[in-house]
Amino acid sequence: MRRAARHATVQARRAAMSEVATMTVDFTREVERHRHELRVHCYRLLGSFDEAEDLVQETFLRAWRGRHTFEGRSSIRAWLYRIATNACLDAIGRRREPVAGTGMPAGEVPWLQPIPDALLDASEEPDAEVVARETIELAFLAAVQHLPAKQRAVLVMRDVLGWRASETAELLEDTVPAVNSALQRARVTMRKHLPERRTDWIGDPSAEEKAVVKRFVEATERGDLTALAAVLREDALWAMPPEPGRHRGRDELIGIWAPFMVGPQAWGEWKLLVTSANRQPAVANYVRRDGSGVFEPVSFDVLRIEGDAIAEILTFPTAVFARFGLPATL
C-alpha cells in the first residue's frame, strides 16, 4: 500500500510538473508575440537601445512572477504595456545622468543610441503599431528625454500609440484630468525641442534626400572639403553621444574634420557604407590607413536632412556596427 501511495505521489508530482511546463511554454509563447513592439515602446521612453533590450527582459520577468495576478479584465498586450511602462519609469528614476529638462540639447543626450531599421519593420505581432518615422527619429527621441517621466509615458501612450485618456489613466493609476494635463504640458515641451522645420522632412526618404546622401558619401571618400561643405546647411549641427558638447556651423565642422581627411595628419583613405537607422539615412565610416590592406571601422553617422542639405549629424562609436550587421572590416 505504501508503494502504491508513493507511486501515486510521484505520478501526481509528474503531472503537476508537466502542467507547469505546459503553462510556461504557453506563457512564453504568448508574451514573446509582443517582444518587438515592447522593445520599440521601451526604446521610445528611454532613448537607449541597450536599456530597452534589458527592460523588455525585465518586463517578461515581472510578468512571469505576477502571472497569477492577471485577471483578464484587459488584454495581455495592455497588461504587458503596463508592466513595461512601469519598468521604464523605474529605470528613468534610477538614472544618474544630467536631467534632460534642464535644457540639454539633442546631441548631448548621453544615453541616446540608434536602432536599426530592420528592427522596426512590420512584424506578425497582433495589434503592433506601424513604427512611423516621425515617432522614432533621433530628434523625436531626444526631445522626449526633456520630459519628466510621467509626461513622457503619457505622450507616448496618447500621441504615439493612440491610447484613450481613460486607458492611459488606468495604466498609470492616475486620473483622466491628470493625464490630459500632463499631455498638454508634454506637447508644449516637445514643440520647444523639436526642429522648427521638422514637418518638411518626415516621411519616407525622397529622391532628393538620397541624392544628398550620395553627395555626402562621394565628397567624404574623395576628401573634397569644398563639396562636403556644399552638402551641409550653414547652421549644421554635429554631436557625438555619449561625448558631451556639440558643434554648430558649416565652417566650424569643416575646420574640425579637415585634418582627419587631408594633409599630413590625414587618417587615410575613407570608405562609407550607406544604411539606415531610426527611419533616417545613416553611413558607416571606414578608413584604410597607410600600409594597411583593409578599411577599419571609425564611426557611425545618422543624418538629418532638410531640403537639399544636411542639417544634423549624430556620430556614434563603432560599438553599434555589429547591431546593424555591418562588417568588421572592408
Side-chain angles (χ1 to χ4, degrees):
M1 183 175 297
R2 290 181 179 177
R3 181 177 300 175
R6 284 198 300 269
H7 178 72
T9 300
V10 170
Q11 290 298 103
R13 287 176 178 173
R14 287 178 177 174
M17 291 174 63
S18 177
E19 183 178 357
V20 169
T22 300
M23 289 174 57
T24 302
V25 171
D26 291 343
F27 180 85
T28 301
R29 184 185 299 115
E30 183 64 29
V31 300
E32 279 290 339
R33 296 169 65 195
H34 303 279
R35 176 180 290 274
H36 165 77
E37 61 176 322
L38 289 173
R39 176 171 53 199
V40 174
H41 177 61
C42 292
Y43 177 63
R44 282 197 183 102
L45 290 173
L46 300 168
S48 165
F49 179 86
D50 292 336
E51 279 192 279
E53 291 277 72
D54 292 342
L55 265 296
V56 171
Q57 291 302 115
E58 174 68 18
T59 296
F60 288 168
L61 180 60
R62 291 188 184 189
W64 172 251
R65 289 173 176 171
R67 64 192 183 280
H68 301 301
T69 65
F70 178 62
E71 300 176 351
R73 290 181 297 181
S74 62
S75 67
I76 193 168
R77 177 175 181 258
W79 181 61
L80 289 171
Y81 264 96
R82 177 197 294 271
I83 297 172
T85 300
N86 286 326
C88 288
L89 295 182
D90 291 343
I92 293 168
R94 292 193 298 267
R95 275 179 171 165
R96 296 182 178 180
E97 289 90 346
V99 178
T102 60
M104 181 171 53
E108 294 181 12
V109 178
W111 54 84
L112 190 66
Q113 294 176 329
I115 187 172
D117 277 4
L119 297 181
L120 300 175
D121 292 340
S123 70
E124 298 179 355
E125 296 172 1
D127 302 321
E129 91 283 355
V130 175
V131 183
R133 178 175 180 178
E134 61 267 26
T135 68
I136 203 66
E137 62 207 3
L138 290 175
F140 177 83
L141 296 176
V144 167
Q145 304 306 301
H146 290 264
L147 300 175
K150 183 160 288 189
Q151 287 185 31
R152 194 180 306 188
V154 169
L155 179 89
V156 170
M157 301 307 298
R158 297 281 283 116
D159 282 358
V160 176
L161 298 178
W163 286 39
R164 295 190 298 270
S166 58
E167 295 173 319
T168 305
E170 182 180 358
L171 182 146
L172 295 174
E173 298 181 348
D174 211 335
T175 66
V176 170
V179 163
N180 289 335
S181 176
L183 179 60
Q184 294 306 314
R185 295 197 302 272
R187 287 172 174 171
V188 170
T189 301
M190 292 292 286
R191 284 194 291 269
K192 291 179 180 178
H193 293 285
L194 285 172
E196 293 180 2
R197 293 171 293 274
R198 183 169 182 261
T199 55
D200 296 335
W201 49 270
I202 61 176
D204 294 330
S206 64
E208 185 179 36
E209 186 175 81
K210 293 177 181 178
V212 172
V213 175
K214 182 179 179 182
R215 289 165 53 204
F216 177 77
V217 169
E218 292 176 347
T220 302
E221 292 183 342
R222 293 197 310 266
D224 188 337
L225 298 179
T226 301
L228 188 57
V231 80
L232 298 175
R233 282 179 54 91
E234 185 177 358
D235 60 349
L237 172 71
W238 177 45
M240 298 180 291
E243 298 298 323
R246 58 176 178 167
H247 305 277
R248 182 179 291 280
R250 175 195 302 147
D251 294 341
E252 180 178 352
L253 302 193
I254 294 299
I256 294 172
W257 297 340
F260 303 106
M261 301 180 65
V262 297
Q265 297 180 345
W267 284 5
E269 181 183 357
W270 289 76
K271 181 72 174 177
L272 277 60
L273 295 184
V274 177
T275 182
S276 57
N278 298 74
R279 305 292 195 211
Q280 297 174 245
V283 294
N285 300 284
Y286 294 79
V287 166
R288 181 168 63 186
R289 302 178 189 275
D290 292 341
S292 175
V294 298
F295 289 87
E296 298 179 347
V298 174
S299 59
F300 185 89
D301 295 336
V302 181
L303 312 177
R304 178 165 64 82
I305 297 173
E306 294 182 1
D308 61 353
I310 296 173
E312 181 180 65
I313 301 175
L314 294 183
T315 298
F316 298 91
T318 58
V320 307
F321 275 47
R323 181 184 307 156
F324 282 80
L326 293 164
T329 59
L330 296 178

